[in-house]
Amino acid sequence: MMEAANAEEIQLRHVEKDVLIPKMMREKAKERCAEKVEAFAHCCKESGFFMVFKCRAENSALKECLTLHYKDPAFFEECKQEYIREKLEFERTGIPSKNRKQKLPTSM
């Protein structure tokens, strides 16, 4: 009977909508903007103390890429659905998704 639960019927708590799903969005946006994250990190490493001045373009490109994702309602919906799937899976198995699939470590 539980299997038939429609994802839309699931009531998400305030903390899930305002904290946990946005956190997932940030992580996924970083993956999708990986080359810009990489370019900015590389620039910072090369520029050292002067990174604030020298890496403006890379920083802008990265922010623009991330913001594009943060403001995309379809991306929010996609992350929400994934969050719900993971939540249902956790309720079913008792195993957090972190332990089910190894995530790549993020340096940011």
Side-chain angles (χ1 to χ4, degrees):
M1 188 73 200
M2 183 60 202
E3 289 302 309
N6 185 349
E8 283 307 307
E9 293 165 20
I10 291 182
Q11 288 300 305
L12 292 175
R13 298 190 325 271
H14 156 77
V15 68
E16 293 175 312
K17 275 195 284 246
D18 297 345
V19 179
L20 299 175
I21 294 172
K23 180 175 183 270
M24 178 186 265
M25 287 175 77
R26 281 195 301 276
E27 286 166 7
K28 285 186 157 307
K30 264 187 227 160
E31 287 168 20
R32 292 188 180 189
C33 299
E35 60 197 46
K36 293 180 178 64
V37 169
E38 200 58 46
F40 180 61
H42 180 73
C43 180
C44 290
K45 210 160 62 184
E46 298 292 301
S47 309
F49 182 71
F50 299 103
M51 69 185 196
V52 175
F53 307 106
K54 290 189 173 176
C55 302
R56 275 192 191 132
E58 290 82 352
N59 191 20
S60 296
L62 173 56
K63 278 190 180 148
E64 201 174 304
C65 183
L66 294 172
T67 304
L68 207 67
H69 286 86
Y70 297 157
K71 293 183 173 171
D72 180 2
F75 184 57
F76 176 83
E77 193 55 36
E78 185 187 317
C79 291
K80 184 176 100 174
Q81 295 305 324
E82 184 176 330
Y83 177 83
I84 289 170
R85 279 195 304 276
E86 288 184 2
K87 181 180 171 161
L88 289 174
E89 185 67 13
F90 174 69
E91 286 169 1
R92 196 172 63 78
T93 63
I95 303 167
S97 67
K98 277 194 236 21
N99 302 346
R100 279 200 308 265
K101 56 180 188 284
Q102 285 300 314
K103 287 262 247 214
L104 294 168
T106 51
S107 56
M108 290 180 70

